[in-house]
Amino acid sequence: MKLFTKLPVVVLCALLTLSSCSTESDENESSAIELSLVQQEAKAIEVEILELINTHRSSLGLNTLSEMNIVKSVAYSHTDYMVDSGEVSHHNFFTRSEYLKANAGAKNVSENVAFGYSSAESVVRAWLKSEAHKDNLEGDYTNFDVSAEKNAEGRWYYTNIFIKK
């Protein structure tokens, strides 16, 4: 019987981990990683995500954001990490943020991550329904990029990073 009383809590926790976001105000992680940066060719789903975000920003009178290869490489390194670990997370966000500050001229960095959405529209729509994700999408940034990678079962993982130069 105890299983049935704990099941709603487990389901709620699982739902909350399907997408999440991180900003400068999140706690710094003490574990550092070495970023494995790889130049990635943009996938159609990634291009569509970026276009949807810029269309949304433009509809609100906000500046559109420019893509940046270094941001894409950092996003890819984290998406690859999530695929390998099988976990949606912001692990090592502080390391990614500091790297972009040192190497891309970023003053502020934030990121949205997600898992399991099968289309660009569905992941962007989910981010827009979450106040914290929406704040990142509509924030005072100049550049962004995204990485979308499938795991062995064909489920998508996403990392969308925003920077202000």
Side-chain angles (χ1 to χ4, degrees):
M1 270 324 226
K2 287 184 181 183
L3 174 63
F4 292 111
T5 60
K6 293 180 183 177
L7 188 58
V9 174
V10 171
V11 169
L12 180 61
C13 288
L15 288 174
L16 291 175
T17 63
L18 288 179
S19 68
S20 90
C21 63
S22 186
T23 63
E24 296 294 334
S25 63
D26 289 344
E27 287 185 36
N28 297 343
E29 298 211 7
S30 60
S31 63
I33 61 162
E34 185 169 325
L35 292 176
S36 168
L37 300 185
V38 177
Q39 192 74 294
Q40 291 293 310
E41 192 81 23
K43 296 176 187 69
I45 193 169
E46 294 167 338
V47 172
E48 192 174 350
I49 288 168
L50 298 177
E51 288 173 352
L52 287 168
I53 291 170
N54 269 337
T55 298
H56 174 76
R57 289 178 62 87
S58 185
S59 75
L60 299 175
L62 300 170
N63 64 301
T64 57
L65 305 177
S66 299
E67 299 167 39
M68 242 181 127
N69 287 336
I70 191 169
V71 175
K72 180 165 198 58
S73 293
V74 171
Y76 173 77
S77 73
H78 185 61
T79 306
D80 190 50
Y81 167 82
M82 291 191 301
V83 168
D84 287 347
S85 68
E87 177 184 9
V88 177
S89 73
H90 291 288
H91 294 166
N92 304 302
F93 173 75
F94 181 74
T95 301
R96 288 187 296 287
S97 176
E98 289 302 306
Y99 182 87
L100 290 169
K101 287 176 182 177
N103 296 284
K107 293 181 177 126
N108 293 316
V109 180
S110 69
E111 75 179 12
N112 290 344
V113 297
F115 165 76
Y117 297 96
S118 59
S119 70
E121 296 87 4
S122 64
V123 72
V124 172
R125 192 171 37 248
W127 283 333
L128 288 171
K129 288 181 181 179
S130 161
E131 188 174 330
H133 295 97
K134 186 176 180 182
D135 287 348
N136 287 342
L137 290 175
E138 297 175 358
D140 183 18
Y141 298 105
T142 55
N143 301 85
F144 71 156
D145 224 311
V146 67
S147 171
E149 297 295 326
K150 285 184 178 180
N151 66 7
E153 292 79 37
R155 307 269 322 260
W156 288 100
Y157 283 79
Y158 304 90
T159 304
N160 186 199
I161 298 178
F162 303 86
I163 70 168
K164 179 175 178 143
K165 290 182 90 171

